[in-house]
Amino acid sequence: MKPSRLFYILLFAVLVFPMYGQIPASRSAQAEEEDITTERDSLPTRSPITPITYKLSESGLDAPVYYPARDSMIIDNVNKKILLYGKAKVTYQEISLEANFIELDYENQLIIASGYPDSSGTLSGFPVFQDEEQSFDAKRIRYNYETQKGIVYDVTTQQEDIIVHGGKTKFLRGDAQDTTANDILYSNDALFTTCTLDEPHFGIHSNKQKVVPNKLVIVGPSNLEIMGAPTPVWLPFGFFPITSGRRSGLLFPNDFEYSQTWGFGLRGVGWFFPLSDHFNLELRGDIYLKGTFGLSAASTYRKRYAYNGNFRIGYDSRQIENLSDASVSRNNSFSIRWSHRQDRRAHPTNTFGGNINIQTNNYQSNVFNNAQNVLQTQLTSNMTFTKRWQDAPITFTAAFNHSQNTSNRQVTINFPDLRFQTQTFYPFKKKNKGGNKEKWYETINMRYNAEAKNRFLATDTTLFDASTLEDAQFGVRQDIGLGSTFKLFQYFNVSPNGSYQEVWQLKSLDRTFDPTITVVTDTLFNPDNPNDFEVVYDTISYGQVNTDTLSGFRAWRRYSAGLSVQTRIFGTLNLQKGFLRGLRHELRPSISFSYSPNYLDPDLGYYQDVQNDIRFPDQTQTFSVFQGNIFGAPPRSGKQFALNYSLNNIFQAKVFSKADSTVKKVKLIDNLVVSGNYNFAADTLNWSQVNVRTTARFFNRITTLGFNAVMDPYILNENGVRVNELAINNGGGLVRFDRASLRLTSNITVSKLRAIFQGKEEEVVTDVAQQQRDRLSNRNREEEDFLSLFENFSISHNMSFDWVKRDGETEFDISTNSINCRGLIQLTKNWAINIGNFGYDFVRRGLSYPSVGFRRDLHCWEMDLQWQPTRGTYTFNIRVKPGTLDFIKIPYQRNNVDGRNAFN
């Protein structure tokens, strides 16, 4: 409770007004200046009007005071009192005092407010004080405006989320003339809590408190009470700043932990810094007695109509003790996460934003145990600055991007990644056609792209080593595209095209053959006679290819040209009766010609033929001098003059729905594509392999099927190599089966099940949290079915089949077969089961990192349990809900190090 200065003015004003009859308290203020001069209305006279001056009391106020009462108002001039009954209210500017009874005793300089018995004799209408900043309730208020001292009985007030229940409070008002003086409140028998009930479930009870409003609270010995019963938890004293607004302060630990490996520890203890009106900073640490620690710095920032984002950097250092030799080592890991968003109204042409997520030494898997962090194997980053020119079709971007695999710990960083590109433009198109028909050459379009990139390749443990900088790759790539599209014979789209690409790189490879023979020896002893032995010589290499990295500018160029023709053919079948009302087949054939030169030509210098065995001088191996560079190498193919073909088939059906007597379109097969080519420039193996792929969706898109097959028109020799003999000429079919794969992916939710069985459309949820709150609020108003418990729950199933032809036999393999479920099962309004991940891998025959738990809502408290049996980790908490007092908790947990030791 923090009675403001305005509150004291109000109490003082209500008492003072009746004592000065010149300015009635119930009338509006007649002047705002100390001297007021007015002219009296009178008949015209020859003598000048004499001004009359009124002198206001020094105790006068700046605004009127209103004090209505619903029942009655009694003015007792004998005892010098004013009594207000029934919803009495005293209002001064923005503050007010309400009660069923208010007594103004201006002889004893007292104001008293309290409740008053209603018709049943029950006290009601207790005092309520309210202003712009705060409000509080009390059973009785007594204030002496002369001594500026008062007493409030059984007061209830709220400061942010802290609710204070006070027994008896005395307050002293500071001297208004002294700017250094403060209002001070002394209280006893007070309870601090965040529980909103009249009888709180918990609170911190203190017998003595001193409050300096809007500054600080000092409390004496305090005791934690739960359900009105004291606990063994005591605080000898307390010092709490209550300054309104953002301020620096201590961040209480998130957890108190005892680890058998690390000892006693605190998790998440730190300090909060409000750096400015737009930036916050949190510094936190995890500290354990045996030397393990972690540090983190997190910042959130926001500027309206400009930008917003968050940043977190974390460092974890774990002390590892080797019990066999008593040695001690450290496992250090590091993490950087940054998310930045620019408001679209911030700048018309410049944008900056993206996400960065980089870690070393499996930081998130070591620090966190939840399924999302443990199972995430791929980390990516992309932070981009984009500049667009309004008066030209030009765009420039500068980006930082990275990809990281947490399984093999490989990290790829591209920085800087600079790109300059133009939009598609038509150099021969006329601006003013004047109603003339477009010429064929006006459809010619061009596009230019340029990219300069620097790439770092490392592991997450060597990412910041000097060798990573030394091995960086740099390159520049430029692309020019030329194309056009026009109609031929009304039904055919003809698209000629051409492209040119040039790549500059600063490193290349030079390979040479070393004819040195490598021989290893081994001595074999006779176990019956140590002096009897034999030396065996084994040749393991007949020379080797050495690779040298050359620094210097190298370039390669790639160009191609082509012509494609596409059309669409439709076939329909209409039926008048039954469930099936029609079938539709759409065929999209495409034929194209393409040309590209022979990049294996020695005169170009893109590839080297190097001998690899001293025994066979004519046996060589082809290598690219640009292998492994940032933009790759030219195509490893000879001259290409190919006819490419593609047949895309789409199948649809019309079905009759009895539910609403309408005919609906249903997709049977999205795309069934058959493609390949014939190379006129090749000496042998002119026909390419035939690729067949398709996609289909079933059960209202619950299940997606993906199929891919490869057929070959040529046969294989005894070594499994394609030879220039057609399968049809060797007693086979038109093509030979080579390999195929089938993927089935299913994702089941309650919304999709309702769409199938009830004929409803699947609900599109944009705010899952709001949907959950709405569903809980409606639980008491309408009966829900069993499926409603699983509204936020999903089940996914993935299955992969592979067929491969080997040695004339077709091998079948199920490479993937797993089922996973995750989500929240809301059993009741207060009970919920949380499944972070739970699944089974039928190929590995094991659980896929189960993570389960439950949550119990206890009004102002909450209880939750999270368990990861694969790691042997768990977390159990009974704690106050998030807020000022959320440091009150009973945590019990086991970290992943203790979990692993428990299994050993």
Side-chain angles (χ1 to χ4, degrees):
M1 63 211 137
K2 300 185 297 181
S4 64
R5 177 176 176 268
L6 289 179
F7 174 60
Y8 299 125
I9 294 175
L10 169 64
L11 299 178
F12 182 77
V14 173
L15 288 174
V16 168
F17 270 135
M19 300 176 63
Y20 294 86
Q22 294 89 340
I23 304 179
S26 60
R27 187 182 307 166
S28 300
Q30 298 178 0
E32 295 182 355
E33 300 178 354
E34 182 176 353
D35 295 323
I36 301 176
T37 303
T38 61
E39 290 187 357
R40 297 182 178 183
D41 293 335
S42 61
L43 294 175
T45 178
R46 296 179 181 178
S47 60
I49 299 174
T50 304
I52 302 176
T53 303
Y54 295 92
K55 182 77 172 181
L56 293 184
S57 170
E58 294 180 357
S59 58
L61 300 181
D62 297 331
V65 176
Y66 304 94
Y67 49 93
R70 186 189 65 180
D71 291 346
S72 61
M73 177 189 302
I74 300 176
I75 301 177
D76 186 352
N77 291 325
V78 177
N79 297 314
K80 297 183 180 180
K81 291 182 179 181
I82 298 178
L83 306 178
L84 306 176
Y85 292 92
K87 289 190 177 180
K89 184 175 182 180
V90 179
T91 303
Y92 175 74
Q93 291 184 347
E94 301 297 332
I95 60 178
S96 65
L97 174 65
E98 295 183 47
N100 267 359
F101 175 73
I102 298 178
E103 176 184 340
L104 306 176
D105 185 348
Y106 50 88
E107 180 178 13
N108 298 312
Q109 295 81 39
L110 291 177
I111 181 171
I112 301 172
S114 66
Y116 197 78
D118 56 15
S119 58
S120 63
T122 304
L123 283 177
S124 62
F126 294 105
V128 176
F129 167 77
Q130 186 172 7
D131 67 6
E132 289 182 334
E133 298 180 356
Q134 62 184 333
S135 65
F136 66 81
D137 303 337
K139 291 297 178 67
R140 189 163 178 262
I141 296 177
R142 182 183 178 90
Y143 176 71
N144 187 304
Y145 60 83
E146 182 177 11
T147 61
Q148 299 185 357
K149 297 180 180 179
I151 300 178
V152 180
Y153 299 90
D154 296 329
V155 65
T156 300
T157 186
Q158 183 169 349
Q159 299 295 326
E160 295 183 354
D161 63 336
I162 294 289
I163 300 174
V164 183
H165 299 269
K168 183 179 179 181
T169 301
K170 297 181 180 180
F171 55 88
L172 305 176
R173 183 187 171 195
D175 188 355
Q177 303 300 324
D178 186 0
T179 57
T180 63
N182 294 301
D183 301 338
I184 301 177
L185 295 87
Y186 297 94
S187 302
N188 58 17
D189 194 22
L191 185 73
F192 299 85
T193 183
T194 56
C195 184
T196 57
L197 297 180
D198 292 337
E199 296 183 2
H201 288 138
F202 82 100
I204 298 177
H205 184 266
S206 174
N207 286 326
K208 294 182 180 181
Q209 307 88 36
K210 178 180 179 180
V211 180
V212 180
N214 297 319
K215 289 191 176 182
L216 58 89
V217 176
I218 304 173
V219 300
S222 304
N223 176 237
L224 175 64
E225 291 185 358
I226 299 179
M227 303 301 291
T231 66
V233 180
W234 282 86
L235 296 174
F237 62 90
F239 178 87
F240 309 104
I242 56 173
T243 305
S244 59
R246 299 162 60 249
R247 57 192 179 276
S248 299
L250 176 69
L251 297 174
F252 280 88
N254 293 330
D255 292 305
F256 312 90
E257 181 183 1
Y258 172 73
S259 169
Q260 295 179 352
T261 306
W262 301 336
F264 287 98
L266 299 176
R267 297 179 63 88
V269 62
W271 199 264
F272 175 80
F273 300 92
L275 300 182
S276 69
D277 293 338
H278 308 294
F279 287 83
N280 292 334
L281 176 64
E282 288 185 7
L283 298 180
R284 289 185 180 269
D286 304 334
I287 305 172
Y288 293 88
L289 292 181
K290 292 187 178 181
T292 294
F293 67 92
L295 301 173
S296 67
S299 175
T300 58
Y301 54 90
R302 175 182 295 272
K303 188 173 183 179
R304 194 175 184 182
Y305 306 131
Y307 53 78
N308 67 85
N310 58 80
F311 177 83
R312 185 185 186 278
I313 181 171
Y315 177 77
D316 185 69
S317 180
R318 302 191 172 193
Q319 182 170 294
I320 303 174
E321 298 181 2
N322 191 334
L323 300 180
S324 59
D325 57 2
S327 61
V328 177
S329 61
R330 283 200 169 273
N331 181 21
N332 301 323
S333 57
F334 183 76
S335 171
I336 298 177
R337 303 191 72 166
W338 182 26
S339 176
H340 180 85
R341 293 288 180 272
Q342 177 180 309
D343 193 289
R344 57 186 177 85
R345 294 164 290 189
H347 198 279
T349 59
N350 298 343
T351 59
F352 176 72
N355 296 277
I356 291 179
N357 185 9
I358 301 177
Q359 67 175 15
T360 65
N361 205 15
N362 282 338
Y363 174 89
Q364 68 180 27
S365 180
N366 290 335
V367 176
F368 307 104
N369 297 313
N370 59 306
Q372 180 180 358
N373 284 298
V374 173
L375 298 179
Q376 186 179 15
T377 59
Q378 200 70 29
L379 305 178
T380 58
S381 302
N382 187 22
M383 188 67 67
T384 305
F385 168 79
T386 303
K387 169 67 177 178
R388 297 179 179 86
W389 280 262
Q390 294 179 335
D391 54 349
I394 301 174
T395 302
F396 170 77
T397 62
F400 170 94
N401 56 75
H402 117 286
S403 63
Q404 182 174 354
N405 190 305
T406 59
S407 299
N408 57 25
R409 298 193 170 187
Q410 294 298 315
V411 181
T412 302
I413 295 179
N414 297 317
F415 179 75
D417 186 353
L418 308 177
R419 300 189 183 192
F420 177 85
Q421 63 183 14
T422 65
Q423 300 177 6
T424 302
F425 61 95
Y426 298 83
F428 305 109
K429 179 172 287 190
K430 298 179 180 179
K431 294 183 179 180
N432 298 318
K433 297 182 180 180
N436 297 327
K437 186 178 179 181
E438 187 178 56
K439 305 295 184 181
W440 67 268
Y441 56 83
E442 292 185 83
T443 63
I444 297 176
N445 59 77
M446 297 183 65
R447 186 164 186 165
Y448 173 77
N449 295 298
E451 181 179 3
K453 184 185 296 185
N454 195 57
R455 174 173 293 174
F456 303 93
L457 301 175
T459 64
D460 62 358
T461 56
T462 63
L463 182 59
F464 299 101
D465 291 353
S467 58
T468 302
L469 296 177
E470 295 173 358
D471 297 336
Q473 301 176 1
F474 178 78
V476 176
R477 180 174 62 189
Q478 301 178 80
D479 295 275
I480 298 177
L482 180 68
S484 178
T485 301
F486 56 88
K487 286 280 188 180
L488 184 65
F489 305 124
Q490 189 177 357
Y491 298 106
F492 297 93
N493 292 323
V494 180
S495 302
N497 63 83
S499 65
Y500 174 80
Q501 182 182 88
E502 182 168 334
V503 176
W504 303 340
Q505 298 181 159
L506 300 181
K507 291 182 180 180
S508 59
L509 302 178
D510 180 41
R511 290 182 172 89
T512 57
F513 177 64
D514 182 4
T516 303
I517 299 176
T518 303
V519 179
V520 296
T521 61
D522 190 13
T523 303
L524 304 178
F525 291 92
N526 186 346
D528 298 329
N529 184 6
N531 296 323
D532 183 12
F533 62 91
E534 179 183 3
V535 179
V536 179
Y537 297 91
D538 186 14
T539 303
I540 62 173
S541 173
Y542 291 92
Q544 63 180 5
V545 176
N546 295 329
T547 302
D548 296 324
T549 300
L550 305 179
S551 298
F553 177 82
R554 288 291 299 269
W556 59 267
R557 298 161 185 87
R558 176 183 179 182
Y559 51 91
S560 63
L563 176 71
S564 65
V565 180
Q566 304 95 21
T567 189
R568 300 170 69 182
I569 303 173
F570 299 92
T572 59
L573 174 63
N574 294 319
L575 302 174
Q576 300 299 325
K577 297 182 180 180
F579 171 74
L580 183 63
R581 294 299 177 90
L583 293 173
R584 179 182 181 182
H585 174 213
E586 180 182 352
L587 176 63
R588 298 179 180 179
S590 174
I591 298 176
S592 63
F593 294 91
S594 61
Y595 170 80
S596 62
N598 180 16
Y599 296 103
L600 298 176
D601 188 347
D603 294 337
L604 297 176
Y606 297 164
Y607 286 88
Q608 291 178 315
D609 292 329
V610 183
Q611 180 182 351
N612 58 8
D613 195 316
I614 196 175
R615 298 169 298 175
F616 308 103
D618 296 332
Q619 177 177 307
T620 60
Q621 187 173 356
T622 303
F623 298 95
S624 171
V625 299
F626 301 104
Q627 182 178 347
N629 277 332
I630 190 169
F631 290 116
R636 188 173 178 175
S637 60
K639 185 178 180 180
Q640 292 282 325
F641 182 66
L643 169 66
N644 307 292
Y645 62 89
S646 173
L647 300 173
N648 187 3
N649 300 269
I650 300 174
F651 296 91
Q652 294 178 324
K654 288 183 177 181
V655 297
F656 179 76
S657 174
K658 293 183 178 180
D660 52 6
S661 300
T662 59
V663 177
K664 299 181 179 180
K665 292 182 180 180
V666 178
K667 283 189 176 181
L668 301 178
I669 298 178
D670 288 347
N671 294 281
L672 175 58
V673 182
V674 180
S675 61
N677 67 74
Y678 183 86
N679 186 9
F680 295 96
D683 297 331
T684 60
L685 303 175
N686 301 86
W687 289 100
S688 70
Q689 292 181 328
V690 180
N691 293 290
V692 181
R693 68 180 188 276
T694 186
T695 302
R697 294 175 175 85
F698 307 99
F699 312 118
N700 200 25
R701 297 180 175 266
I702 286 181
T703 300
T704 300
L705 179 147
F707 177 76
N708 185 63
V710 177
M711 309 292 181
D712 200 329
Y714 297 103
I715 65 172
L716 303 177
N717 62 14
E718 61 276 6
N719 297 322
V721 179
R722 299 176 74 206
V723 295
N724 195 34
E725 295 184 21
L726 295 174
I728 195 173
N729 297 332
N730 286 269
L734 186 64
V735 291
R736 172 186 58 83
F737 174 79
D738 186 71
R739 61 188 181 275
S741 63
L742 177 67
R743 304 286 185 267
L744 283 172
T745 303
S746 300
N747 187 19
I748 304 173
T749 63
V750 169
S751 297
K752 291 182 178 180
L753 291 177
R754 292 188 193 278
I756 293 176
F757 295 109
Q758 299 179 6
K760 298 180 179 179
E761 294 294 332
E762 181 184 358
E763 181 182 0
V764 178
V765 179
T766 57
D767 190 340
V768 177
Q770 183 61 42
Q771 181 206 36
Q772 179 70 5
R773 289 191 293 268
D774 294 341
R775 192 176 71 83
L776 290 177
S777 63
N778 294 329
R779 175 178 289 274
N780 297 328
R781 296 198 298 267
E782 58 183 24
E783 187 69 22
E784 295 186 347
D785 56 17
F786 176 74
L787 290 178
S788 299
L789 300 176
F790 303 91
E791 289 286 354
N792 300 307
F793 189 78
S794 64
I795 300 175
S796 61
H797 177 252
N798 296 287
M799 199 169 188
S800 302
F801 305 92
D802 297 305
W803 295 267
V804 179
K805 194 84 170 183
R806 288 193 180 96
D807 300 328
E809 300 290 335
T810 302
E811 298 180 1
F812 172 72
D813 180 42
I814 301 178
S815 57
T816 304
N817 186 12
S818 64
I819 185 170
N820 284 275
C821 55
R822 62 183 60 194
L824 183 70
I825 304 175
Q826 192 73 39
L827 299 178
T828 66
K829 182 179 180 180
N830 296 324
W831 280 99
I833 297 176
N834 180 29
I835 300 179
N837 183 75
F838 192 88
Y840 187 82
D841 192 325
F842 295 95
V843 176
R844 292 192 305 109
R845 297 181 180 180
L847 296 174
S848 55
Y849 196 79
S851 177
V852 297
F854 72 86
R855 181 181 61 84
R856 174 72 165 98
D857 192 322
L858 301 170
H859 187 254
C860 50
W861 290 68
E862 61 183 5
M863 176 176 62
D864 67 79
L865 170 69
Q866 297 296 326
W867 178 43
Q868 298 83 26
T870 303
R871 286 190 166 191
T873 58
Y874 54 80
T875 301
F876 176 76
N877 281 294
I878 300 178
R879 58 174 173 247
V880 174
K881 286 185 176 179
T884 304
L885 300 181
D886 58 4
F887 62 89
I888 301 176
K889 64 176 66 180
I890 305 175
Y892 185 73
Q893 63 182 356
R894 182 164 69 183
N895 57 54
N896 47 41
V897 175
D898 291 340
R900 284 194 296 266
N901 293 338
F903 287 141
N904 297 331

